[in-house]
Amino acid sequence: MNSRSCICVSAMKPCRRFLISFTSSSLFGFSPPNSGKFINSSKLHCTKIDSRSIRSGIHCRRIVLDRDGFCDSDSISWGGGGSRVLRARGSRGRGRGVLVIPRVASDFRNHSTSSLDSHVNDKSFQSMFVKPLVFKDVEKTERIPKKESVNGGGKDANFGNVGVRKETERGLSQTEVEKEAWKLLRGAVVNYCGFPVGTVAANDPGDTQTLNYDQVFIRDFVPSAYAFMLDGEGEIVRNFLLHTLQLQSWEKTVDCHSPGPGLMPASFKVKSGPLEGNDGSFEEFLDPDFGGSAIGRVSPVDSGLWWIILLRAYGKLTGDYTLQERIDVQTGIKLILKLCLADGFDMFPTLLVTDGSCMIDRRMGIHGHPLEIQALFYSALRCAREMLIVNDGTKNLVAAVNNRLSALSFHIREYYWVDIKKINEIYRYNTEEYSADATNKFNIYPDQIPTWLVDWIPDKGGYFIGNLQPAHMDFRFFTLGNLWAVISSLGNQEQNEGVMTLIEEKWDDLVANMPLKICFPALEKDEWRIITGSDPKNTPWSYHNGGSWPTLLWQFTLACIKMGKLELAKKAVAVAEKRLKEDEWPEYYDTKSGRFVGKQSRLYQTWTIAGFLAAKKLIEQPEKASLLFWEEDYQLLETCVCGLSKSSGRKNKCSRFTPPRS
């Protein structure tokens, strides 16, 4: 056997492989068997493998890590489509999988992306795959910053042990509500091979039908990740990012029921099953859901966007930027961008999606170009532009990102923004305008202005509407999209201030007894029957149809800190803190004022707990909030799309240059 140690990344389809060979027992803490099989797992225990244990003099037997699953060189399982899994083998007697291959995937870092990028054709976006790479010297191993060493994925395999230690350190600084919240959050942690990889959606001990609430959802884990990182614990987030990356679809397929390349799963679940034979061995694996089990079988558009946003936040809050520099992570970012920036029939810079493709995962009339997706898309593009390593192989991709950022912000600022002045303008629109100089560019009929809006819109402030399509404006106020428009500076300074002013002015409608309304107002009567299909869960002022969602607290707090309204955030958190513990941390609240616990609301909902904790942490450490939001990018202003239209003779008044309110 060759005495050199190496890491090889193969382009062999349908997966990428990490190849490592060994003969010495000092690497994993055991002597490998002589047979071609992986390991005799019944004789092994779960041992954390740290990259610092690896030295260039170690000789290893060949182990294969493929994209679809963790397996050995003699038992490769290729998996396919949405049914692919990540596998790790272990002993039934120990109740956990053996953490060998997952840690290899997590701890090896490729020190340069130049070899990868030289083989990536970003101009055509058609060649997103990894070419073979060989690293002969692995002495320069990846080191996680010291500040991360306190978290549960380190020496303490049991994440809860860290929680006990951290709670002791906090002493009496926390309220009883916070103490219970941290205990519940840590109790919701999911371990894979003995190491934390996420949190379940809900952990209600009295729930007899868990449905898919026992899975780890990408969007649901984000507030948990922020709470952990703001508390100085980053490894669970690192593990989550790497394992969900391994679940990302890499295959091109003609099967319409399989995920396309770049798609991130909506969720995954840790499962275990017996191995072939009667030796008592079992395997632990990650089973992803790309929407095949979701309501309406809709693939998640927002999962990849949240993943990129979280990846940036991880670097900012932990100081560990090595993760985003890895070849596999850089490639994962590119695949998501390729999926989102692909050419299509749509003329708009916004993403065209179906109902149910985001947090509102049921039929609610948000198909088309919903604000939530556009705001997350804009945020993810800004994150990706920060993290992408720019070279000859990526410069075309970066240029495409810049172009889309400019066009998207112009489009949203110009056509989605409404205030009393804009509504009065729409009220006087002419229709059937065909010229390039038309004022009513989307042929909006003035009669579409709903009666509730005429009396509801305040004299000061405004907001971004929920959706825009030809001859259709959805005037509902969607909280998540507006908050992320503020956080990411998708809106200009005056618009950002207008959104916060409107929330203050309409506090009784949007906050009341429990922050915050997911949308306002609710669909009722015939409108509810037609648009939702008489959805019994989305009845008026319930669930996604005007329900109140405490998880939005952390995003509201982040927006408030950015806009200098910290006291407003404290007010909202205080409202929630009075009820959440007593009501057993429900998923959502019903009624127009949020007085009742949701009729089908899950209790001990993890992102309710995490949203509250992340908000409290942001209030305690407002200086860290500045790492998580974006200010106006004046470089984008220079390439504003309206400036490109001068040669065509069109006259567009661009809201991007609107001066801030004095």
Side-chain angles (χ1 to χ4, degrees):
M1 179 177 290
N2 196 321
S3 63
R4 292 178 300 173
S5 297
C6 68
I7 307 172
C8 179
V9 184
S10 172
M12 182 179 295
K13 292 187 177 181
C15 68
R16 182 185 40 157
R17 300 180 184 175
F18 290 80
L19 306 180
I20 302 168
S21 56
F22 65 93
T23 58
S24 172
S25 63
S26 61
L27 176 61
F28 293 121
F30 60 85
S31 298
N34 295 325
S35 65
K37 297 300 180 183
F38 179 75
I39 49 175
N40 184 355
S41 57
S42 62
K43 298 181 180 180
L44 301 179
H45 62 279
C46 295
T47 304
K48 180 188 175 185
I49 304 304
D50 189 88
S51 59
R52 289 184 289 272
S53 303
I54 301 172
R55 296 292 181 267
S56 59
I58 296 177
H59 309 290
C60 311
R61 185 177 65 84
R62 187 173 183 237
I63 302 176
V64 179
L65 165 65
D66 67 39
R67 185 75 189 197
D68 292 337
F70 293 128
C71 49
D72 64 86
S73 58
D74 297 321
S75 59
I76 300 174
S77 174
W78 294 113
S83 62
R84 64 187 55 191
V85 295
L86 269 67
R87 301 177 184 273
R89 299 184 175 184
S91 168
R92 184 182 303 277
R94 298 203 174 262
R96 299 181 187 272
V98 174
L99 188 69
V100 176
I101 300 300
R103 295 302 297 178
V104 172
S106 298
D107 288 327
F108 271 108
R109 172 172 174 259
N110 297 310
H111 297 281
S112 171
T113 60
S114 58
S115 298
L116 166 70
D117 293 320
S118 65
H119 296 290
V120 175
N121 183 356
D122 289 301
K123 184 175 182 180
S124 64
F125 303 129
Q126 294 299 315
S127 183
M128 294 287 191
F129 58 89
V130 184
K131 286 288 185 179
L133 294 172
V134 176
F135 293 85
K136 297 181 180 180
D137 182 9
V138 294
E139 287 187 359
K140 298 179 180 179
T141 54
E142 179 179 2
R143 294 185 181 273
I144 299 175
K146 188 175 181 179
K147 66 184 296 183
E148 253 197 306
S149 62
V150 298
N151 44 53
K155 294 182 179 180
D156 297 304
N158 187 342
F159 195 74
N161 292 340
V162 180
V164 174
R165 185 168 65 252
K166 297 288 289 185
E167 186 171 337
T168 302
E169 293 172 356
R170 295 187 192 101
L172 301 176
S173 62
Q174 292 182 334
T175 65
E176 290 301 317
V177 179
E178 289 177 81
K179 290 179 180 178
E180 177 176 300
W182 278 112
K183 180 180 179 181
L184 292 172
L185 181 59
R186 299 185 194 287
V189 168
V190 173
N191 288 305
Y192 175 52
C193 300
F195 292 85
V197 293
T199 51
V200 292
N203 196 20
D204 183 0
D207 193 359
T208 57
Q209 291 184 327
T210 58
L211 300 179
N212 61 350
Y213 283 83
D214 61 347
Q215 297 184 24
V216 180
F217 283 81
I218 287 186
R219 79 171 69 93
D220 289 40
F221 178 69
V222 172
S224 297
Y226 275 68
F228 283 130
M229 290 189 293
L230 289 167
D231 201 43
E233 302 169 14
E235 186 154 341
I236 183 175
V237 183
R238 179 186 178 88
N239 293 342
F240 171 85
L241 289 167
L242 287 171
H243 282 296
T244 49
L245 177 65
Q246 292 294 323
L247 295 173
Q248 183 187 38
S249 174
W250 272 43
E251 296 177 287
K252 292 185 178 181
T253 175
V254 296
D255 183 358
C256 64
H257 295 288
S258 296
L263 184 67
M264 299 295 287
S267 63
F268 66 85
K269 185 174 182 178
V270 178
K271 294 183 177 180
S272 61
L275 290 170
E276 295 181 3
N278 299 316
D279 58 354
S281 299
F282 76 102
E283 60 180 348
E284 197 169 59
F285 59 92
L286 301 180
D287 185 13
D289 176 21
F290 288 89
S293 300
I295 297 294
R297 304 303 187 262
V298 177
S299 62
V301 177
D302 63 339
S303 289
L305 307 178
W306 279 121
W307 186 87
I308 290 178
I309 292 170
L310 182 58
L311 176 64
R312 174 189 181 266
Y314 172 80
K316 291 286 186 179
L317 291 176
T318 67
D320 177 14
Y321 292 97
T322 60
L323 182 64
Q324 59 189 240
E325 296 170 1
R326 290 170 46 136
I327 291 180
D328 53 345
V329 174
Q330 287 281 309
T331 304
I333 296 172
K334 294 173 189 177
L335 285 170
I336 295 172
L337 293 178
K338 176 200 171 187
L339 189 63
C340 294
L341 296 173
D343 293 332
F345 291 99
D346 199 10
M347 293 288 290
F348 306 146
T350 45
L351 278 183
L352 179 63
V353 300
T354 61
D355 250 344
S357 59
C358 54
M359 179 180 175
I360 297 178
D361 58 5
R362 302 168 75 91
R363 178 177 168 185
M364 267 289 290
I366 64 167
H367 56 280
H369 307 88
L371 177 66
E372 177 181 330
I373 290 294
Q374 315 317 320
L376 292 175
F377 182 35
Y378 185 80
S379 302
L381 289 176
R382 293 199 66 172
C383 291
R385 191 177 61 164
E386 288 183 33
M387 296 185 294
L388 278 174
I389 297 175
V390 182
N391 50 39
D392 291 340
T394 60
K395 61 182 180 181
N396 292 320
L397 178 59
V398 173
V401 169
N402 283 329
N403 290 337
R404 182 60 70 90
L405 280 168
S406 179
L408 182 60
S409 60
F410 171 78
H411 186 83
I412 298 296
R413 292 179 180 189
E414 277 297 298
Y415 305 124
Y416 276 64
W417 178 256
V418 294
D419 53 18
I420 188 66
K421 181 179 178 181
K422 181 66 175 181
I423 293 174
N424 193 47
E425 179 184 327
I426 297 172
Y427 181 73
R428 295 171 56 83
Y429 267 171
N430 293 320
T431 58
E432 317 303 328
E433 295 181 320
Y434 295 95
S435 70
D437 295 325
T439 301
N440 187 2
K441 292 181 174 58
F442 297 93
N443 200 35
I444 303 300
Y445 301 108
D447 287 345
Q448 289 183 18
I449 300 175
T451 55
W452 65 265
L453 182 61
V454 175
D455 297 324
W456 191 75
I457 190 74
D459 292 333
K460 296 181 180 180
Y463 66 100
F464 294 100
I465 61 172
N467 209 334
L468 176 66
Q469 300 183 76
H472 173 70
M473 295 182 77
D474 186 345
F475 287 98
R476 286 176 292 175
F477 176 89
F478 286 86
T479 302
L480 182 59
N482 274 277
L483 291 179
W484 273 98
V486 173
I487 292 168
S488 65
S489 287
L490 176 55
N492 61 35
Q493 180 68 16
E494 185 176 9
Q495 289 169 337
N496 293 341
E497 292 176 356
V499 170
M500 303 310 296
T501 298
L502 180 131
I503 293 175
E504 279 190 276
E505 290 284 327
K506 297 299 177 181
W507 187 267
D508 290 341
D509 290 329
L510 302 177
V511 179
N513 294 286
M514 178 55 63
L516 286 138
K517 278 275 178 285
I518 192 171
C519 69
F520 183 91
L523 301 171
E524 299 182 281
K525 300 179 181 179
D526 288 342
E527 193 176 31
W528 166 74
R529 282 189 285 271
I530 294 170
I531 293 179
T532 74
S534 300
D535 187 346
K537 193 168 185 178
N538 272 334
T539 52
W541 306 110
S542 179
Y543 201 50
H544 295 143
N545 189 16
S548 298
W549 291 71
T551 188
L552 296 173
L553 267 176
W554 74 272
Q555 292 154 105
F556 177 66
T557 301
L558 192 56
C560 286
I561 294 174
K562 178 185 177 182
M563 302 309 298
K565 294 182 178 292
L566 182 58
E567 292 303 317
L568 199 63
K570 291 181 179 179
K571 181 181 176 181
V573 171
V575 170
E577 192 165 7
K578 291 178 181 178
R579 297 188 58 190
L580 288 177
K581 181 177 183 294
E582 181 181 346
D583 294 338
E584 299 180 296
W585 308 94
E587 180 182 14
Y588 63 93
Y589 285 78
D590 283 356
T591 74
K592 189 173 182 180
S593 61
R595 293 186 64 191
F596 295 167
V597 173
K599 58 185 177 182
Q600 295 189 43
S601 177
R602 296 285 164 146
L603 301 180
Y604 299 98
Q605 186 80 12
T606 304
W607 71 348
T608 294
I609 298 165
F612 167 75
L613 289 174
K616 294 284 285 191
K617 281 293 179 182
L618 287 169
I619 290 173
E620 293 173 8
Q621 310 168 75
E623 71 282 356
K624 290 189 177 180
S626 62
L627 302 173
L628 303 173
F629 57 68
W630 295 262
E631 299 294 348
E632 180 72 90
D633 187 340
Y634 293 100
Q635 183 180 359
L636 286 177
L637 295 178
E638 298 176 1
T639 58
C640 180
V641 290
C642 66
L644 301 177
S645 64
K646 293 179 180 178
S647 60
S648 64
R650 298 182 183 180
K651 296 180 180 180
N652 290 324
K653 182 180 178 182
C654 181
S655 65
R656 297 175 65 83
F657 296 98
T658 303
R661 182 180 300 170
S662 59

